[in-house]
Amino acid sequence: MGTSLVIVESPAKARTIGRYLGREVNVLASMGHVRDLPESSLGVDVAGGFQPVYVLTANGKRVIRGLTAAARAADHIYLATDPDREGEAIAWHLAEVLKPAARSALFHRVAFHEITQRAIRASFDHPGVISEPLVAAQQARRVIDRLVGYQVSPLLWRNVRKGTSAGRVQSVALRLVCEREREVQAFTPEEYWNLDARFRTGMPEAEFGTRLVLLDDRKPVVPDAETANALAGELETAAFAVAAVTATPRLQRPQPPFITSTLQQAGGNSLKLSTTQTMRLAQQLYEGVDVGSGGPVGLITYMRTDSVHVAPEAQKETLEFIGQTYGAEYLPSSPNRYRSRQSAQEAHEAIRPTDVRRTPESLAPHLTAPQLRLYRLIWNRFVASQMAPARQMDHVIDVRARGESLRHSYVFRASSRETLFPGFLRVYDLRETGEEEADGQNRVLPEVPVGVPCNLVDLEREQCFTSPPPRYSEAMLIKALEQNGVGRPSTYSPTVNTIQEREYVTKEKGRLIPTELGFQVNDYLVGHMPELFDVGFTAEMEAQLDRVEEGERDWREMLHGFYEQFRTWVQHDGMPPIPSAAEAVAFLRAFPPDLTWNPPVRRGRRTFDDAEFHHSLLNQLESGGKPLTERQWKALLGVAARYAPSCPAIRAAAEALGVTETVARMAAETVQAREGAPPQDAAPAAEDLRLLDALRGVAWRPPATRGRRTYDDARFYRSLRRHVDSGNRLSAAQTRSLERLLTAYADQIPDFDRLAADLGLARPGERAAATAAANDNGTGANGPDPIVIRLLAMAERIQEWAPPTQRGKQTYDDRVFVESLKRQFHTRGTLSERQVAALKSLMGRYAERIEGFEQDAAALGLTRIETKPKPVDARVPCPKCGSPLVQRRNRRNGKPFYGCSAFPKCRYLSNELPQPGKDAAAPNHPATES
């Protein structure tokens, strides 16, 4: 191996492996993927059998020169990437990139599940080749994810928010979180009561607590306090005796060793780690830590696995350790065997220590606190999985009520669990890891015979309410994904992390809660493409990828079946899905070179030239530029529709692309427009003129600027007038805008009531009230309209407004601000939440000038905001200049602070009042008052 090159993913892994291979072997790190699909284009040739188009990643560009130079000088190149799909793909990409430079070198694939000298030597002594099925499965997953993200995300940009994205697995995870949150929101707690009795026996003298478990020989249903009190009143006069005493032996068997999902769940439940933190620590333990033996050592096996298989030699060593450390009685009668789920790879191992003799205590001086906590969890779980089961005894005492006057039969029960032999529990306590709830069953019950009388010492009535289903934690979400077959070990943590990074989900007290954006994204995706983001369909896709990985199915065939379904799911507005670049080029080339193009058409300031559009689109696609956008695709179909009736070649190309019906429909619409038939969404000309004539002569308000846009009612009206006077008709959108303009200027239109009755319009106040009523009934937009009506009424009672203030380049005028809100509310019928909050704050500042403020404040939750400075005791002067201090209030958080009355000459500010007679230290500056 004198001229051998070994390539791994990370420098830490390279250091550990290099220690075992010696200095004569060159071990380098690729730092992850060196090639991937391009970021600026689809990167998948759909028409060419879904062939991916790979480019160097940013990381690849940094490392490839060094790797190429090393490969050129090597005789043997060993690709030692991780033993899973991603690792196999990285190895394949490295081989594809380095083969031209390393023409004479032989490529080998080595895979190991633990970084130990024994495993490294064994893998290098028997190298293999790259697994084509594994690479195919990874490519198929990557292509599917790219197709989904590249074609669905633009729909979210247009319909939800720019910058949002969809993912095949992440969107299903988001769906689970949103559906659970809606279950929580829709949950109605139901009241119920528990009856807990404490009894004392005389022979032998003992006392124990019980709970009512049977009422008339059925599970008790105590819905309210009245029922609980009635039952308690009857029980207080009853006699009691022990009706049954049982002791049932049981065996509690250990859990299997960790796999990726269960490690992430235990890390969250027991150690309070996020999935990202758990996997980062596990990666460090796997790649190697210096434990004082001359270099880094891999402490655990590979941490991305769904198999509970344990290597026979590791199991043998563990059983020997258990017998020597805990005794022969802690060994099982036969070695424990665990069954992995059907899709698991048995060639992989469970997550375990590479050497069970490295106990957590022996490694404590060498590991960080988080590393040690996770290693202890993994070590304890694995050792426990190889130990004997715990032998336990379940004890139950039933106490029955007796009495001739009783209308019901009552049975109270006390239960406990006694551990006779701890077995694996000596190492791994399920209650500590959150895998078993501490229910108090470990208490000791007295030994009492059947029939012994019991005296009622105390009877408690406990009011309870049913609880909603719990919100997902990261660990619970991963468990749900695993149970539903969604995702694989390598995707769990990135999926949970992605939905939080994109602000679709936030974490509060360890629980995942969808944001408003998360709900919007989920509702759009589920509403428009329910099949694509269905849990069952996603699980089926994972199963298909597993079949590809096992070599049972061709990856291109699987992608073709998926894409046929996918194309139908992403269709919107009757438009067929965007074709691939190759398909679009073939369609464009179907236009004959001698085609007679229509002359350019000028509309407003723009000129539409079919020939120029066709030429530029063909150049864009053939030069490898940006892919076809949805707007370009729709325009191209429109161009095809104009020429298809007279061009058989275009009709044939449309049929080959599957867009014949769309082109025919658009062609019919073109003919209809030429013949002068009115568009379906156009208003009759007479109504257009009537609407415009009604606004003739009104006094237009001055233009208003909102953000970067200027809204000029007069200019908008004149443009519509010219449009109609030219013989054109208004579109539905123009008609709606004109109706809103009529409503806004209703006070200046003499016959508005008659016009409104004919057209179904409403006056501004009526519109606002209607919107508010709709909101109250849950049928309108989510705006606080009744609150706004009351706030604006409060503003009407303000007789004197504060003068405008100048801050930088902006002027703040409270009166103008309120007037603008009034106009918007009268026009739209609602205000945004931010505007409502600003209006509430403004009313709080004008509390002294609003008659009856306290009554309105109580109803609306307003707070009186003090704006006048309060003088402080004159004995407390300003520490800087000696002038009296005044108390002010921070407008952002409402907290008081102290400032010099000589401001701005003296700029002393402090959150705390200085002590009289003492020089203040450096002032503790609060946030500015403004």
Side-chain angles (χ1 to χ4, degrees), residues 50 102 376 430 533 579 600 626 659 830:
F50 300 96
R376 187 187 303 278
L430 297 176
F533 299 105
K626 293 183 179 180
V659 296
T830 186

Side-chain angles (χ1 to χ4, degrees), residues 176-387:
L176 291 175
V177 176
C178 289
E179 289 178 351
R180 175 58 58 87
E181 183 64 22
R182 289 207 162 101
E183 289 178 23
V184 173
Q185 293 175 352
F187 181 80
T188 302
E190 294 183 4
E191 181 183 8
Y192 70 95
W193 289 70
N194 287 327
L195 272 66
D196 295 334
R198 190 158 191 84
F199 295 103
R200 181 184 296 123
T201 61
M203 295 180 61
E205 185 172 353
E207 191 171 305
F208 56 94
T210 64
R211 172 162 291 178
L212 180 65
V213 294
L214 292 176
L215 179 62
D216 294 330
D217 298 324
R218 291 179 296 182
K219 182 179 178 181
V221 178
V222 186
D224 48 41
E226 183 179 354
T227 305
N229 291 332
L231 295 177
E234 189 173 69
L235 287 168
E236 288 172 353
T237 62
F240 300 90
V242 175
V245 178
T246 60
T248 306
R250 71 187 296 270
L251 286 179
Q252 184 168 8
R253 301 187 183 277
Q255 299 285 339
F258 282 130
I259 59 176
T260 302
S261 60
T262 54
L263 175 64
Q264 291 171 340
Q265 293 164 36
N269 294 329
S270 178
L271 307 182
K272 308 305 179 187
L273 297 173
S274 68
T275 57
T276 303
Q277 291 171 322
T278 300
M279 295 309 292
R280 182 168 57 246
L281 291 171
Q283 183 95 21
Q284 295 168 3
L285 297 175
Y286 166 70
E287 292 184 340
V289 178
D290 191 344
V291 295
S293 56
V297 176
L299 298 180
I300 65 171
T301 54
Y302 189 54
M303 63 287 163
R304 294 186 183 92
T305 176
D306 53 4
S307 171
V308 294
H309 170 70
V310 177
E313 58 271 18
Q315 189 173 48
K316 180 181 177 181
E317 291 175 359
T318 305
L319 292 175
E320 292 175 356
F321 174 84
I322 293 171
Q324 295 170 2
T325 306
Y326 302 104
E329 66 272 20
Y330 283 89
L331 292 172
S333 56
S334 61
N336 294 333
R337 297 282 188 267
Y338 300 98
R339 180 179 297 178
S340 303
R341 65 191 182 104
Q342 186 175 0
S343 61
Q345 293 181 317
E346 286 300 328
H348 290 183
E349 275 201 73
I351 303 172
R352 61 169 177 83
T354 56
D355 188 346
V356 73
R357 291 166 296 186
R358 291 195 187 99
T359 63
E361 290 73 21
S362 68
L363 295 179
H366 309 288
L367 301 181
T368 65
Q371 288 174 340
L372 180 61
R373 292 169 65 204
L374 187 64
Y375 181 79
R376 187 187 303 278
L377 189 66
I378 295 170
W379 190 93
N380 288 351
R381 173 77 169 233
F382 174 68
V383 173
S385 72
Q386 305 304 312
M387 296 177 75

Side-chain angles (χ1 to χ4, degrees), residues 4 189 292 301 439 518 589 672 787:
S4 295
T301 54
D439 54 6
R589 289 205 168 278
Q672 187 181 39
I787 297 176

